[in-house]
Each structure stands twice: as C-alpha cells, then as structure tokens.
Amino acid sequence: SGLQAALGQPGEIARRQFGRQVYGEAHPYGSNPVSGTVEAVSRDDVVAFHRDSFRPDNALRVVSGAVCRTEAERLAREYFGDWEPGAPSPVTFPAPPARAETEIYLVHRPGSVQSNITIGHLGIRPDEADLFPLLVMNRILGGGADARLFQILREEKGWTYGAYSRMTRPADVGVFSAHAEVRTEVTDSAVAEIMTQLTRLREEEIPAADFEAAVNYLAGSFPLSLETPGQIAGQIARARLLGEPVEHVTEYPERIRAVTPADVRRVAREHVRPDRAAIVVVGDANRVLDMLEGMAPIRLFDVEGAPLEPAQVAAGAAPVSIELQAID
C-alpha cells in the first residue's frame, strides 16, 4: 500500500528515477522496490537475513551518557555476552555507470500542474578528503533558506516554495543534487537557472558574505546536534560505520572554520559537473516536453519507470490530477 501511495507523489517518483539513472539498476541505491518484489518476500527470507546479518562481528555498540567505561562493559557482557559470532556475507557494490553528457529524464505525470526537478550526479565517498570544503560549498548553493537556490528561485523569481541542494554520504558513494518543485510554465526556466548556479559555483569567486554566512551557520549550529546522549551516540556511530575518524565529530567546528574561499572554489571545480548531470523532471510531458527540447537529450518515462515514446505521450488521455500546496 505504501508503494502504491508513493507512486502518487512527484517527489518520490523523482527520487526513484534519479537513483536509477545515476547509480544504475544493478546498484542497490538505484534499485527500487515494486509491489511484486515486496510481495515475493517470505518470512523465511526475513529470518535468514536476520540470522546472517545481525552478528556481533558485524555490529557496532555505542554507549553515551552518565555511565563509566567499567559499567558499560559490565552491561554489555551481561546482556550480549552469549551472542554467538558468525560469518556475515561481505557487501559488494557494483560500479555505477559512467556519465558522458547531460541528459534529461522526463517522467510523464499527466495532469500535473507543477514540475518536480532534480539535477545532479554521483558525489563523494565517506572517506573524501575534501569533506569540509564541500559542506561549506553545499551550504552556499542550497543548504538553507538563505542559500542561493532558495533566494533566487523563490525570493527573486517566485517560481517555487523552496529550492535546495544536498550532498549524501552513504556507504560506497553518495550523490550531489539540487531540487525544486516549480509551476509547470516555468519548468525550462527553473532547469536553466539551477544549471546556471551550478556553473557559477565552478567559475566565480565566492563572495565574502556568502562564505562567512555558510561557515558561521555550519560551525555554530553543529553543537545543537550533540545536545542529547542519543544524538552523540548517533554522530559517533555514523562516523565509525562509515570508517571516518572520530575527529570528524569532535573537531567539526574547527575543521569547518579552517576552510577558505579558495578551498570552496577548488572543490566546486573538481566535484560539481553540470556538463554530466542527470536532469530528472516529473511533470506533464504534454506541457513541458517542447519547452525542454534543445536543452539536452531527452528520454521519456512513465511514473513507474517504463520508457515512453513521444507518440505515446501525445496519444494518452490526461486524467484529472489534484495537487495541494500549503501557502506560507
């Protein structure tokens, strides 16, 4: 039921299509569940997965709070001392496909009055040496309501209720992407503006005000993520599971403040690639296909990810679609 509901949400449709195109369907991050695959899972499958994966030699235990090391070790032995080790299967990730050019993946959602846009490409691995300059760069581009994408697409243009960018860091490799949901009639303009801002990051000097605001926000807000024992344990667990040094947590503000504007521009040139981006647009292809023509090669899909031909889009009847938006 949840999957069926998800296919009615343009943001989820865009997420699934973006992952498929960037990672490839052979990669776990590019593979999306469908009703058939979920219904094929049996109880025995779940039990076998738990037996093979939930092992002490495949686990990390983090204790945070008003407890000393001796007491934490005593409790661990009391409650987990008889936990039998095993041989968990190693996880391997296939290589995502290489991208040679920018392409548009237009998902036809008949009757949509808005277009959901995601533009991006593969990003960094957890051990990326330029992590902190990249965090500052992302904050400048689209990391908040004071960032460029939000200020330009919403405040200046009035095209959207919000526009943001993100940089993920899961196991293996993450993505760098920008997002906005805009009125159908400005779909091409919004795509062009996001691409302009990606290029601007690479080519222009970072204004001092933009840089200082990003650094001050990241360094100043980080302590808020360490206010409770649960938050502390979560930060340490994430760092250790991804193979990062604990100093990425304990020295986060200092490492952010050590970033320079030159660092930000350098990592933008090295890591931002608008010339090889995947542009996913979820909207009514009958209204936006023509306006996107000429921007980049276009491939058409239905909401479930099946390829479409332009003739199929033109021939299809558009069902009634109702979308609700909260007004600020």
Side-chain angles (χ1 to χ4, degrees), residues 235-247:
Q235 291 281 359
I236 296 297
R238 174 178 171 79
R240 300 306 299 150
L241 287 171
L242 293 178
E244 299 178 21
V246 174
E247 288 75 17

Side-chain angles (χ1 to χ4, degrees), residues 22 27 36 45 57 71 75 145 167 194 196 238 242 256 260 279 313:
V22 171
H27 196 287
D45 293 328
D57 43 353
E71 178 66 4
L75 291 169
M167 185 180 65
I194 293 172
T196 295
R238 174 178 171 79
L242 293 178
I256 286 290
T260 68
I279 302 175
V313 172

Side-chain angles (χ1 to χ4, degrees), residues 85-106:
S89 301
V91 177
T92 57
F93 295 94
R99 299 193 61 82
E101 62 178 348
T102 295
E103 289 185 284
I104 296 174
Y105 305 95
L106 176 54

Side-chain angles (χ1 to χ4, degrees), residues 157-242:
K157 308 289 189 181
W159 292 340
T160 179
Y161 285 97
Y164 303 93
S165 64
R166 67 176 183 140
M167 185 180 65
T168 65
R169 286 189 303 130
D172 193 37
V173 63
V175 296
F176 173 67
S177 58
H179 315 265
E181 190 166 22
V182 304
R183 303 192 314 275
T184 295
E185 56 268 26
V186 297
T187 300
D188 55 340
S189 299
V191 169
E193 186 61 48
I194 293 172
M195 295 293 284
T196 295
Q197 295 307 317
L198 294 175
T199 302
R200 180 185 173 197
L201 267 181
R202 291 171 48 87
E203 297 181 353
E204 293 184 7
E205 298 289 343
I206 304 297
D210 292 0
F211 174 78
E212 291 168 6
V215 167
N216 289 336
Y217 175 85
L218 292 172
S221 64
F222 184 73
L224 299 177
S225 67
L226 298 173
E227 290 187 319
T228 68
Q231 288 176 315
I232 294 170
Q235 291 281 359
I236 296 297
R238 174 178 171 79
R240 300 306 299 150
L241 287 171
L242 293 178

Side-chain angles (χ1 to χ4, degrees), residues 275-308:
D275 60 328
R276 284 175 281 171
I279 302 175
V280 173
V281 178
V282 179
D284 190 335
N286 284 310
R287 300 181 61 189
V288 303
L289 178 57
D290 288 347
M291 67 173 68
L292 294 172
E293 290 282 0
M295 300 184 74
I298 300 175
R299 293 165 60 187
L300 283 163
F301 299 87
D302 66 17
V303 295
E304 295 183 352
L308 291 176

Side-chain angles (χ1 to χ4, degrees), residues 25-72:
E25 294 188 51
H27 196 287
Y29 301 155
S31 175
N32 295 300
V34 296
S35 296
T37 57
V38 173
E39 290 168 350
V41 175
S42 69
R43 183 182 185 279
D44 289 344
D45 293 328
V46 177
V47 171
F49 175 78
H50 182 272
R51 181 185 62 245
D52 294 342
S53 302
F54 285 72
R55 304 280 194 173
D57 43 353
N58 194 38
L60 172 70
R61 184 179 300 112
V62 179
V63 181
S64 174
V67 59
C68 67
R69 175 172 179 164
T70 300
E71 178 66 4

Side-chain angles (χ1 to χ4, degrees), residues 139-152:
R139 176 68 194 180
I140 292 170
L141 175 66
D146 58 341
R148 291 177 177 179
L149 291 178
F150 191 99
Q151 288 295 310
I152 293 172

